[in-house]
Amino acid sequence: MSTEETTPPEPWRLISQEYGEDLRLFRIRYDRMANPRNDMEFDRLILETPDWVNVVALTTGGQVVTVRQYRFGVASLTLEIPGGVVDRGEESGLAARRELREETGFTAPRWSYLGAVEANPAVQNNLCHHWLAQDASRTHERELDDGEDIQVCVLDSDDVRRRVLEGEIRHSLVVSALCRVFDLRPSAGTGE
Amino acid sequence: MSTEETTPPEPWRLISQEYGEDLRLFRIRYDRMANPRNDMEFDRLILETPDWVNVVALTTGGQVVTVRQYRFGVASLTLEIPGGVVDRGEESGLAARRELREETGFTAPRWSYLGAVEANPAVQNNLCHHWLAQDASRTHERELDDGEDIQVCVLDSDDVRRRVLEGEIRHSLVVSALCRVFDLRPSAGTGE
């Protein structure tokens, strides 16, 4: 039996809204909000940004297409699944196909939607859409921007699971996508 | 057999670094970086922020302690697990205990570390640490800041799993923590 222990909260009241600096990936917004519990007012930071997408791409043999690249936030090389920003007006499924092809040269005949998560609902207004590509194979040349340097690694699914558990694969949005396809509990077996 | 399909990338070279606005939760930094693949230079945005923490808290009966609150980024009520910012100099395990107690009034005798993820390695420099609390029970009054309005909901584990799959629980960092404790594959059984 699930129980609600305390009073349900209400939505906060928007008092005013003001835009700050445009950081390109993010546009800063400040919302002045009133807490319905005590009517006190607070300025809240919001980072407006487009939806994002990432792809769990499995080959016919069940291997996973991953990418290694230098990430500026953590100032180190990371191992992730392909993904990126959904262009304005673009369907997330098309963005997923585009990012997979551009970053890895892989395409796939079978696609299914794995759902979406909020990247950071406290501060950001966007979703990250997760897609599954099956029977993926390398069919194209990659199209890397001048600002990219990406290695493609095709990994056994057990190897992917191990690298998550050991902390080598640790981008939260990548883990969120992978857990829809693999059992990522430390106590689990091979996850398949 | 896992294979590396293309040349391994190298770390980028830092040319210069400059701080921008302090957004309180985030401090803006711009790094001018050289791509080792082509020596071209790019300005990259980094949002410096402290580590975060969240807690999968299970009661003796195996129920999960969750919180519902208004989130400003997505401008709606969300259902999440307890969590917050690790204070300067604080151990993440102590932050986990503190956030659980302050937000829900629950404490627990058994704690274990579930690992950490990068909240967003492309842009942010921080980790989110995941903790598991077992045999949790309500022992304290809650301590909500004036800027908080949080409802505590104690949910059956099957109910938590269902709400993730149906998209009601969809904070990426919450899903990342939960998938270390529950099997979140749509194809899975009860996940226990």
Side-chain angles (χ1 to χ4, degrees):
Chain A
M1 192 192 63
S2 295
T3 55
E4 305 202 333
E5 299 272 322
T6 58
T7 318
E10 288 169 40
W12 289 42
R13 251 185 13 259
L14 176 66
I15 308 297
S16 62
Q17 204 166 64
E18 185 180 342
Y19 279 94
E21 195 181 346
D22 188 340
L23 306 173
R24 294 212 300 180
L25 179 58
F26 298 104
R27 189 170 178 200
I28 294 175
R29 198 182 81 212
Y30 294 101
D31 288 0
R32 187 154 185 86
M33 305 291 298
N35 185 345
R37 182 165 68 86
N38 52 21
D39 283 328
M40 291 175 69
E41 294 184 10
F42 298 87
D43 289 314
R44 297 303 189 194
L45 168 72
I46 290 102
L47 300 176
E48 293 187 354
T49 189
D51 282 357
W52 300 336
V53 69
N54 63 15
V55 185
V56 181
L58 304 178
T59 66
T60 311
Q63 288 187 310
V64 185
V65 182
T66 65
V67 288
R68 193 187 302 277
Q69 65 194 304
Y70 187 80
R71 287 299 204 174
F72 306 100
V74 293
S76 60
L77 294 167
T78 66
L79 189 65
E80 306 181 11
I81 59 174
V85 176
V86 178
D87 288 337
R88 184 187 295 267
E90 188 180 34
E91 303 264 5
S92 80
L94 293 180
R97 287 163 174 80
R98 178 177 54 70
E99 290 288 350
L100 177 64
R101 180 174 45 74
E102 288 175 359
E103 292 187 352
T104 72
F106 280 69
T107 59
R110 294 170 60 200
W111 288 81
S112 44
Y113 189 56
L114 294 170
V117 291
E118 291 157 346
N120 183 347
V123 181
Q124 294 173 211
N125 66 339
N126 70 321
L127 297 175
C128 179
H129 301 277
H130 301 316
W131 282 86
L132 174 66
Q134 288 173 283
D135 298 333
S137 60
R138 187 149 193 177
T139 55
H140 286 66
E141 287 301 307
R142 300 196 297 158
E143 297 169 41
L144 296 186
D145 294 340
D146 288 333
E148 292 179 323
D149 183 23
I150 297 174
Q151 179 187 29
V152 180
C153 301
V154 180
L155 303 180
D156 287 344
S157 58
D158 280 358
D159 198 14
V160 166
R161 195 175 163 279
R162 182 181 61 76
R163 290 177 197 234
V164 171
L165 294 175
E166 292 179 356
E168 181 184 355
I169 295 176
R170 62 174 186 173
H171 186 322
S172 62
L173 296 168
V174 171
V175 171
S176 170
L178 289 172
C179 79
R180 281 151 168 85
V181 180
F182 303 107
D183 185 352
L184 298 180
R185 294 174 297 169
S187 58
T190 61
E192 293 189 280
Chain B
M1 192 193 64
S2 295
T3 54
E4 305 201 333
E5 299 272 323
T6 56
T7 317
E10 288 170 41
W12 289 42
R13 248 183 18 258
L14 176 66
I15 308 297
S16 62
Q17 203 166 63
E18 185 181 342
Y19 279 94
E21 196 180 347
D22 188 340
L23 306 173
R24 293 212 299 182
L25 178 58
F26 300 104
R27 188 170 180 201
I28 293 175
R29 198 182 80 212
Y30 294 100
D31 287 1
R32 187 155 185 85
M33 305 292 298
N35 185 345
R37 183 166 67 87
N38 52 22
D39 284 327
M40 291 175 68
E41 294 184 10
F42 299 86
D43 289 313
R44 297 304 190 192
L45 168 72
I46 291 101
L47 300 176
E48 293 187 355
T49 190
D51 282 357
W52 301 336
V53 68
N54 63 15
V55 184
V56 181
L58 303 179
T59 66
T60 310
Q63 288 188 306
V64 185
V65 182
T66 65
V67 289
R68 193 188 301 278
Q69 64 194 305
Y70 187 80
R71 287 300 206 174
F72 306 100
V74 294
S76 60
L77 295 166
T78 65
L79 189 65
E80 306 181 11
I81 59 174
V85 175
V86 178
D87 289 338
R88 185 188 294 266
E90 189 179 33
E91 302 264 5
S92 80
L94 293 179
R97 286 163 175 79
R98 178 177 55 70
E99 291 288 350
L100 178 64
R101 181 174 45 74
E102 289 176 357
E103 292 188 352
T104 72
F106 279 69
T107 60
R110 295 171 58 201
W111 288 82
S112 43
Y113 189 55
L114 294 171
V117 291
E118 291 157 345
N120 183 347
V123 181
Q124 294 173 211
N125 65 340
N126 71 321
L127 297 175
C128 180
H129 302 277
H130 301 316
W131 283 86
L132 174 66
Q134 288 174 283
D135 298 334
S137 61
R138 188 149 191 177
T139 55
H140 287 65
E141 288 301 306
R142 301 195 295 157
E143 298 170 38
L144 296 185
D145 294 339
D146 288 333
E148 291 180 324
D149 183 23
I150 297 175
Q151 180 188 28
V152 180
C153 302
V154 179
L155 304 180
D156 288 344
S157 59
D158 280 358
D159 198 14
V160 165
R161 195 176 161 278
R162 181 181 60 76
R163 289 177 198 235
V164 171
L165 293 176
E166 291 178 356
E168 182 185 355
I169 295 175
R170 63 173 186 173
H171 186 322
S172 62
L173 296 167
V174 171
V175 171
S176 169
L178 288 172
C179 77
R180 281 151 168 84
V181 179
F182 303 107
D183 184 352
L184 298 181
R185 293 174 296 170
S187 58
T190 61
E192 293 190 279

